[in-house]
Coordinates of all heavy atoms in Angstrom, one line a residue:
G13 N -76.5 16.7 32.1 CA -75.5 16.4 33.2 C -76.0 15.3 34.1 O -75.1 14.7 34.8
D14 N -77.2 14.9 34.1 CA -77.7 13.7 34.9 C -77.0 12.4 34.4 O -76.8 12.2 33.2 CB -79.2 13.6 34.9 CG -79.9 14.7 35.6 OD1 -79.3 15.4 36.3 OD2 -81.2 14.7 35.4
V15 N -76.5 11.6 35.4 CA -75.9 10.3 35.0 C -77.0 9.4 34.7 O -77.9 9.1 35.5 CB -75.0 9.8 36.1 CG1 -74.5 8.4 35.8 CG2 -73.9 10.8 36.5
L16 N -76.9 8.9 33.4 CA -78.0 8.0 33.0 C -77.6 6.5 33.1 O -78.5 5.7 33.4 CB -78.3 8.2 31.5 CG -78.6 9.7 31.1 CD1 -78.8 9.9 29.6 CD2 -79.8 10.2 31.9
C17 N -76.3 6.2 32.8 CA -75.9 4.8 32.8 C -74.5 4.7 33.0 O -73.7 5.7 32.7 CB -76.3 4.3 31.4 SG -75.8 2.5 31.1
T18 N -73.9 3.6 33.6 CA -72.6 3.4 33.8 C -72.1 2.0 33.4 O -73.0 1.1 33.3 CB -72.2 3.6 35.3 OG1 -72.9 2.6 36.1 CG2 -72.4 4.9 35.9
F19 N -70.8 1.9 33.0 CA -70.3 0.6 32.5 C -69.1 0.3 33.3 O -68.4 1.1 33.9 CB -69.8 0.8 31.1 CG -70.9 1.1 30.1 CD1 -71.3 2.3 29.8 CD2 -71.7 0.0 29.6 CE1 -72.3 2.6 28.9 CE2 -72.7 0.3 28.6 CZ -73.0 1.6 28.3
D20 N -68.7 -1.1 33.3 CA -67.6 -1.5 34.1 C -66.3 -1.1 33.4 O -66.1 -1.5 32.2 CB -67.6 -3.1 34.2 CG -66.5 -3.6 35.0 OD1 -65.7 -2.9 35.5 OD2 -66.4 -4.9 35.1
S21 N -65.5 -0.2 33.9 CA -64.3 0.3 33.4 C -63.0 -0.4 33.7 O -61.9 0.1 33.2 CB -64.2 1.8 33.7 OG -63.9 2.0 35.1
A22 N -63.0 -1.4 34.5 CA -61.8 -2.1 35.1 C -61.0 -2.6 33.9 O -59.7 -2.4 33.8 CB -62.1 -3.2 36.0
A23 N -61.5 -3.4 33.0 CA -60.8 -4.1 31.9 C -60.3 -3.1 31.0 O -59.1 -3.2 30.5 CB -61.7 -5.1 31.2
I24 N -61.0 -2.0 30.6 CA -60.6 -0.9 29.8 C -59.4 -0.2 30.4 O -58.5 0.1 29.8 CB -61.8 0.0 29.5 CG1 -62.9 -0.7 28.8 CG2 -61.3 1.2 28.6 CD1 -64.2 0.1 28.6
Q25 N -59.5 0.1 31.7 CA -58.4 0.8 32.3 C -57.2 0.1 32.4 O -56.0 0.6 32.1 CB -58.8 1.1 33.8 CG -57.7 2.0 34.6 CD -57.5 3.3 33.9 OE1 -58.5 4.2 34.0 NE2 -56.3 3.5 33.4
E26 N -57.2 -1.3 32.5 CA -56.1 -2.2 32.5 C -55.4 -2.2 31.1 O -54.2 -2.0 31.0 CB -56.4 -3.6 32.9 CG -55.3 -4.5 33.0 CD -55.6 -5.9 33.4 OE1 -56.8 -6.1 33.7 OE2 -54.8 -6.8 33.4
N27 N -56.3 -2.4 30.1 CA -55.7 -2.3 28.8 C -55.1 -1.0 28.3 O -54.1 -0.9 27.7 CB -56.8 -2.7 27.7 CG -57.3 -4.2 27.8 OD1 -56.5 -5.0 28.3 ND2 -58.5 -4.5 27.5
L28 N -55.7 0.1 28.9 CA -55.2 1.4 28.6 C -53.8 1.5 29.2 O -52.9 2.1 28.6 CB -56.1 2.5 29.1 CG -55.8 3.9 28.9 CD1 -55.6 4.2 27.4 CD2 -56.8 4.9 29.5
S29 N -53.6 1.0 30.4 CA -52.3 1.2 31.1 C -51.2 0.4 30.3 O -50.1 1.0 30.1 CB -52.4 0.7 32.5 OG -53.3 1.4 33.3
I30 N -51.5 -0.7 29.8 CA -50.6 -1.6 29.1 C -50.2 -0.8 27.8 O -49.1 -0.7 27.4 CB -51.2 -3.0 28.7 CG1 -51.3 -3.7 30.1 CG2 -50.2 -3.7 27.8 CD1 -52.0 -5.0 30.0
T31 N -51.2 -0.3 27.1 CA -51.0 0.4 25.9 C -50.2 1.6 26.0 O -49.4 1.9 25.1 CB -52.4 0.7 25.2 OG1 -53.2 -0.4 25.1 CG2 -52.3 1.5 23.9
E32 N -50.4 2.4 27.1 CA -49.7 3.7 27.4 C -48.2 3.3 27.6 O -47.3 4.0 27.1 CB -50.3 4.4 28.5 CG -51.6 5.1 28.2 CD -52.2 5.7 29.3 OE1 -51.9 5.4 30.5 OE2 -53.1 6.6 29.1
K33 N -47.9 2.2 28.2 CA -46.5 1.7 28.5 C -45.9 1.4 27.1 O -44.7 1.8 26.8 CB -46.4 0.6 29.4 CG -46.8 0.9 30.8 CD -46.7 -0.4 31.7 CE -47.0 0.0 33.2 NZ -47.0 -1.2 34.1
T34 N -46.6 0.6 26.3 CA -46.1 0.2 24.9 C -45.9 1.6 24.1 O -44.9 1.7 23.4 CB -47.1 -0.6 24.2 OG1 -47.3 -1.7 25.0 CG2 -46.6 -1.0 22.9
L35 N -46.7 2.5 24.3 CA -46.7 3.8 23.5 C -45.4 4.6 24.0 O -44.7 5.2 23.2 CB -47.9 4.6 23.7 CG -48.1 5.8 22.8 CD1 -48.2 5.3 21.4 CD2 -49.3 6.5 23.1
T36 N -45.1 4.5 25.2 CA -43.9 5.2 25.8 C -42.7 4.7 25.2 O -41.7 5.4 24.8 CB -43.9 5.1 27.3 OG1 -45.1 5.8 27.8 CG2 -42.6 5.9 27.9
N37 N -42.6 3.3 25.2 CA -41.4 2.6 24.5 C -41.3 2.9 23.1 O -40.3 3.2 22.6 CB -41.5 1.1 24.7 CG -41.4 0.7 26.2 OD1 -40.9 1.4 27.0 ND2 -42.0 -0.5 26.5
E38 N -42.4 2.8 22.3 CA -42.4 3.2 20.9 C -41.9 4.6 20.7 O -41.2 4.9 19.8 CB -43.8 3.0 20.3 CG -44.2 1.5 20.2 CD -45.6 1.4 19.5 OE1 -46.2 2.5 19.2 OE2 -46.0 0.3 19.2
S39 N -42.4 5.5 21.6 CA -41.9 6.9 21.5 C -40.4 7.0 21.6 O -39.8 7.8 20.9 CB -42.7 7.8 22.5 OG -42.3 9.1 22.4
A40 N -39.8 6.3 22.6 CA -38.5 6.4 22.8 C -37.7 5.8 21.6 O -36.7 6.4 21.2 CB -38.1 5.6 24.1
V41 N -38.2 4.7 21.1 CA -37.5 4.2 19.9 C -37.6 5.1 18.7 O -36.7 5.3 18.0 CB -38.1 2.8 19.6 CG1 -37.7 2.3 18.2 CG2 -37.8 1.8 20.6
T42 N -38.8 5.8 18.5 CA -39.0 6.7 17.4 C -38.0 7.9 17.6 O -37.4 8.3 16.6 CB -40.4 7.2 17.4 OG1 -41.3 6.1 17.2 CG2 -40.6 8.1 16.3
K43 N -37.9 8.3 18.8 CA -37.0 9.6 19.0 C -35.5 9.2 18.7 O -34.8 9.9 18.1 CB -37.2 10.0 20.4 CG -38.4 10.7 20.7 CD -38.5 11.2 22.2 CE -39.8 12.0 22.4 NZ -39.9 12.4 23.8
N44 N -35.1 7.9 19.2 CA -33.8 7.4 18.9 C -33.5 7.3 17.5 O -32.4 7.7 16.9 CB -33.5 6.2 19.7 CG -32.1 5.7 19.5 OD1 -31.2 6.4 20.0 ND2 -31.8 4.5 19.0
T45 N -34.5 6.7 16.8 CA -34.3 6.5 15.3 C -34.2 7.9 14.6 O -33.4 8.1 13.7 CB -35.5 5.8 14.8 OG1 -35.6 4.5 15.4 CG2 -35.4 5.5 13.3
A46 N -35.0 8.8 15.0 CA -34.9 10.1 14.5 C -33.5 10.7 14.6 O -32.9 11.4 13.8 CB -36.0 11.0 15.0
K47 N -33.0 10.5 15.9 CA -31.7 11.1 16.2 C -30.6 10.5 15.4 O -29.7 11.2 14.9 CB -31.4 10.9 17.7 CG -30.1 11.5 18.2 CD -30.0 11.3 19.6 CE -28.7 11.9 20.2 NZ -28.5 11.7 21.7
Q48 N -30.7 9.1 15.2 CA -29.7 8.4 14.3 C -29.8 8.9 12.9 O -28.8 9.0 12.2 CB -29.9 6.9 14.5 CG -29.7 6.3 15.8 CD -28.2 6.6 16.3 OE1 -27.3 6.4 15.5 NE2 -28.0 6.9 17.5
N49 N -31.1 9.1 12.5 CA -31.2 9.5 11.0 C -30.7 10.9 10.9 O -30.1 11.2 9.8 CB -32.7 9.5 10.7 CG -33.3 8.1 10.6 OD1 -32.5 7.1 10.4 ND2 -34.6 7.9 10.8

């Protein structure tokens, strides 16, 4: 449980936020496509 080492997480967090927004849009498109099908 001791903390041994840390890394800079800022860039990873930013990319994660962008990816999650894209994923939300893709999910909406997928649901709509499924509904149309």
Side-chain angles (χ1 to χ4, degrees):
D14 289 349
V15 178
L16 307 178
C17 179
T18 58
F19 297 91
D20 185 3
S21 62
I24 297 174
Q25 183 62 68
E26 182 179 356
N27 289 334
L28 180 59
S29 298
I30 294 173
T31 302
E32 287 177 342
K33 289 180 181 179
T34 302
L35 193 59
T36 300
N37 293 335
E38 286 183 355
S39 178
V41 171
T42 300
K43 289 180 180 179
N44 184 64
T45 299
K47 185 176 180 181
Q48 293 299 320
N49 291 337

